[in-house]
Every structure is written in structure tokens, then in C-alpha cells.
Amino acid sequence: MNVQIESSWKQRLEGEFAKPYFAQLTAFVRLEYGRGTCFPPGKLIFNAFNLCPFDNVKVVIIGQDPYHEPGQAHGLSFSVPEGQPFPPSLVNIFKEIEQDTGQKMPSTGDLTRWAKQGVLLLNATLTVRAHQAGSHQRQGWEAFTDAVIRTLSCEKEHLVFILWGGFARSKAALIDSSRHLILQSVHPSPLSANRGGWFGNRHFSTTNVYLSANGLAPIEW
């Protein structure tokens, strides 16, 4: 699979890599990728970490699963590569950014530009079988990404954790709210967003106010 992870993350997560569950997870993922199409491509499984080293993290946006259709997943939650149509949730994210900050909808759904500014776009499960949402859940990824969240919460200060939807909001228990800002709302998917609570949450401007108040550069959404 040619999986590599950025050195600052490797150093902080080496204890997780040494645990039995991670060996079992690795064996499962290798088997899955060996016998059929899975996403993202193996070299992009840890893309969120490779684009956003530990010391650079300012914001964490938690998703659940990678996209499971061809050409969409590239290791960043909610993001799609250049040239791919915007999934419905991403459309609503961009609509809220426009309402909140006045920034017009971009021409690309590739959120690499966010990652390079310090936004960790973290899916709780980092791989998926083609056309089968949730197919790699409960195999160990959640234990790994929970450890990522706890490590960030304990070792850094003044992060913004953005939790959209019930699944992401369940991760609030892993975060020290006395050290970090936790922003929560319904999920941006049309089914949730259209019921109310997504549009007008102002998470993007609120994030930047908090970062600026703590001496950190705001995100250019």
C-alpha cells in the first residue's frame, strides 16, 4: 500500500502503531486492498497527516468515512480532488462559508489549501471498500483516530475542534474543553442541514476570531 506518515505524527503515535489492534488493522487493510478496490489510494491513506504536521495543527474537522465512489476520496475529510463534482455536504459547507464570511464558492472542492494552513481534515475511519459506505468501520481505525484526537487535546492548546453531526459530536468527550474551542452543529448533508441548525452556525468566522484572539493566523476558507 506504500503507506507513509509524516515524521512528527509518527513520533507521537508510535505507541499506537505498536499495539496489537494496529497490527490487526494493518493486516485487514492490506487484505482488503489486495482483493478489491478500496479508497483512498494506499499512498493517500495518511494524507491528512502528511499535509498537516502535528505542530501546524490549528483546527480539526472530523468526518466519519472516506467517500466510497471512484475519484472522490483523497485522504481529507469532506474534500474531493481537483475537477471532481462537489458532493452535497461540501456544497453546503461552501454555502455556509459564503453566508458567514462573504467568500464566494470556490472552483475546486480540493481542501488541500485548508490542510496546508493547519486544518486537520480527519476521518474517523481512514479507508473504505468501493461502493460500500462504512465497510471498514469497527476494524481498529476508530481506536487510532480517537488516539489522535486525545493526543492533540493533551499536547496542544487553543485548537478549534469542529464537530458536525451526531457521530462527530460524540468525540467531544475526548477533548479538554478548558484548553480548546469545540464547535458543534448538525451535519452539512442535505438531509440534516435542511432541517435547520447548519446554515447560520458561523463556525468559520468563529474559528478565526478564536485563532486571532490566541495569536494564531486565521484560516483563509
Side-chain angles (χ1 to χ4, degrees):
M1 292 189 302
N2 191 31
V3 171
Q4 296 180 335
I5 191 167
E6 190 272 335
S7 59
S8 66
W9 284 109
K10 187 173 184 178
Q11 176 185 349
R12 284 172 175 83
L13 298 172
E14 60 185 356
E16 296 302 308
F17 295 134
K19 291 179 179 178
Y21 87 82
F22 200 86
Q24 295 168 1
L25 170 62
T26 299
F28 168 78
V29 171
R30 288 187 182 279
L31 180 64
E32 286 282 290
Y33 274 71
R35 67 184 181 189
T37 302
C38 296
F39 302 119
K43 65 182 180 180
L44 296 178
I45 290 174
F46 292 108
N47 197 28
F49 301 91
N50 294 335
L51 290 173
C52 188
F54 184 87
D55 289 343
N56 293 3
V57 178
K58 297 189 287 189
V59 180
V60 184
I61 299 180
I62 298 175
Q64 188 163 3
D65 240 14
Y67 296 121
H68 54 269
E69 296 302 329
Q72 292 184 310
H74 64 144
L76 305 175
S77 62
F78 296 101
S79 178
V80 291
E82 179 87 30
Q84 282 288 321
F86 298 174
S89 292
L90 190 55
V91 171
N92 283 339
I93 288 170
F94 289 146
K95 284 181 178 178
E96 173 58 22
I97 290 173
E98 184 169 356
Q99 288 184 20
D100 185 15
T101 69
Q103 182 171 306
K104 299 297 183 183
M105 189 169 294
S107 60
T108 176
D110 186 347
L111 303 181
T112 296
R113 64 188 184 278
W114 292 6
K116 289 182 175 180
Q117 294 178 77
V119 182
L120 182 67
L121 294 159
L122 180 67
N123 278 318
T125 299
L126 298 187
T127 57
V128 69
R129 197 178 304 142
H131 316 302
Q132 297 184 43
S135 50
H136 287 185
Q137 292 177 4
R138 295 178 291 280
Q139 298 293 334
W141 278 129
E142 295 91 341
F144 175 73
T145 53
D146 281 0
V148 170
I149 295 167
R150 282 194 298 266
T151 299
L152 285 165
S153 176
C154 291
E155 295 192 23
K156 293 182 74 77
E157 290 186 335
H158 309 310
L159 298 180
V160 181
F161 288 87
I162 299 179
L163 313 179
W164 296 328
F167 177 83
R169 293 168 81 170
S170 72
K171 304 298 182 181
L174 305 172
I175 303 161
D176 184 348
S177 61
S178 70
R179 295 162 62 95
H180 308 286
L181 177 64
I182 303 174
L183 300 177
Q184 304 185 50
S185 80
V186 301
H187 197 273
S189 65
L191 184 64
S192 298
N194 292 339
R195 291 175 181 164
W198 168 255
F199 294 109
N201 68 33
R202 301 186 62 83
H203 282 180
F204 304 97
S205 62
T206 303
T207 292
N208 281 346
V209 168
Y210 180 83
L211 293 176
S212 296
N214 287 285
L216 299 168
I219 306 298
E220 293 183 16
W221 299 109

